[in-house]
Amino acid sequence: MFGLELFESDRSPGSTIIPRFLRQPCVLLATARAAVKLLVRALRPASVWLPSYICGVVIAAAREPGVRIRFYPVDQSLNVPSHDWLTQICPDDVAIFVDYFGFDSWATCGAAAKVRGACIVEDACQAMLNKDFSPHSDYIIFSPRKFIGVPDGGILVARKNAELPDADLPKSSAEWLLKATKASILRSEFDRYGGERTWFKLFQSTEANGPTGPSRMSDLSAALLQIIDWAIIKKRRRRNYEFLLSELGELAIFPDLPRDVVPLGFPIRVRNRDRVRRLLFNERIYPPVHWDIAELVPTEFISSHRLANEIMTLPSDQRYGRDDMKRMVSQIKRYVSIAHGCL
């Protein structure tokens, strides 16, 4: 979670560049999961195909009466290892592909699913600031809250000949939005001054009790998207990732950083992951886990479940500088070594 703040820039206010994802036909929603729900309700596919490595809220959002949820395999490197499942796709099915941590590793499968008549949805929630997106996608979903401090926000973009769902969206609950905004402000204060992590419980509450159906983005978040200094965010994220690659490349799930990618974080695989995380927590380093898929994804997808037990994401976003990265690298090297045999 990011604190509600703007990043300083040398640009004059009149030079602000509207980000690319807002220069296309789009719907501004309260959450990214609302974009999935809105699309599934509008398209009414017989089946929605999801990767076997996926956030649980996406699975929940895709569930609608009469719609079958089906999974395709994703391996421990976040690639799609088999194309056999493609033969089961029917025309007008929806296939959702994820740009994991900002990286697109599904182009071949996306093209094949498109040929079979599927509607291709690119889940770019972790890739919002990338320069380019898949030429095969009919729709793209973004999540600003994964990159900046806004209280709410999800974006559904229609591409080419795809039509945006025609919906008169209600506002989110005023009580929920107030709590989300308060959590964002408290997080900002915590980042600046430290103190109690009261923002965290409030954040968890807003995540658990967010809008269950599609609702529109708040005016505050919509305004902030127009004036954030996106160029600085991109630069800092890429710079931090490049430094971590130079120091921890042997742990990286993505050992190369293409020029058009702005990563969400620095994902690594570590056996004894939970022990290493606990040790890092003691050093005030908090690597999140994307994601826990136990009891959400069928157990037959062994590689995905193994990855879910070993993955964690080192924070490398715009809040951190070189000294922060050096401190984190030092602790990672120390604790990975302590957890003997964890690589």
Side-chain angles (χ1 to χ4, degrees), residues 33-277:
R33 74 192 74 170
V36 176
K37 180 66 71 178
L38 186 64
L39 265 184
V40 173
R41 287 180 177 177
L43 298 176
R44 287 293 174 185
S47 297
V48 173
W49 291 86
L50 297 173
S52 59
Y53 198 75
I54 188 68
C55 178
V57 299
V58 177
I59 301 174
R63 294 194 186 282
E64 281 290 306
V67 176
R68 182 182 180 187
I69 302 297
R70 307 187 70 177
F71 293 93
Y72 61 86
V74 171
D75 65 18
Q76 295 175 77
S77 298
L78 293 173
N79 294 313
V80 183
S82 171
H83 293 187
D84 295 345
W85 62 278
L86 290 165
T87 62
Q88 302 177 61
I89 287 181
C90 296
D92 299 323
D93 280 357
V94 167
I96 298 180
F97 294 94
V98 178
D99 296 330
Y100 293 109
F101 301 95
F103 297 82
D104 169 6
S105 57
W106 53 271
T108 302
C109 275
K114 182 86 168 179
V115 168
R116 295 191 64 85
C119 174
I120 307 301
V121 178
E122 182 170 1
D123 180 343
C125 290
Q126 299 184 345
M128 187 176 75
L129 298 183
N130 284 8
K131 182 178 179 181
D132 295 306
F133 297 93
S134 173
H136 310 300
S137 57
D138 297 295
Y139 297 94
I140 309 178
I141 297 174
F142 299 109
S143 180
R145 293 191 300 163
K146 288 182 170 54
F147 283 83
I148 59 169
V150 289
D152 69 330
I155 303 171
L156 174 63
V157 170
R159 309 185 80 199
K160 303 167 190 171
N161 297 322
E163 295 184 359
L164 288 169
D166 185 13
D168 183 15
L169 298 174
K171 293 181 179 180
S172 297
S173 158
E175 180 182 1
W176 176 81
L177 185 58
L178 182 62
K179 286 183 178 179
T181 304
K182 183 178 180 181
S184 190
I185 293 172
L186 289 174
R187 175 60 204 249
S188 181
E189 296 299 301
F190 175 83
D191 288 340
R192 290 175 179 158
Y193 309 116
E196 297 295 323
R197 300 175 75 240
T198 53
W199 58 268
F200 187 64
K201 286 186 177 181
L202 196 56
F203 167 70
Q204 287 183 312
S205 174
T206 57
E207 285 293 285
N209 301 299
T212 56
S215 56
R216 66 176 181 261
M217 186 186 296
S218 68
D219 292 340
L220 173 59
S221 293
L224 288 174
L225 294 181
Q226 302 283 342
I227 59 176
I228 289 287
D229 190 339
W230 300 104
I232 282 185
I233 294 174
K234 292 179 181 181
K235 181 179 179 180
R236 291 178 180 173
R237 283 177 174 266
R238 284 185 54 85
R239 184 174 58 199
N240 287 340
Y241 194 98
E242 287 169 345
F243 177 76
L244 292 177
L245 268 184
S246 71
E247 296 288 334
L248 301 172
E250 71 279 5
L251 298 177
I253 291 179
F254 298 102
D256 297 295
L257 182 61
R259 294 180 63 183
D260 62 342
V261 170
V262 180
L264 176 76
F266 191 84
I268 64 174
R269 283 181 57 203
V270 180
R271 296 195 187 116
N272 296 334
R273 190 261 326 269
D274 293 343
R275 181 186 178 193
V276 173
R277 285 184 80 219

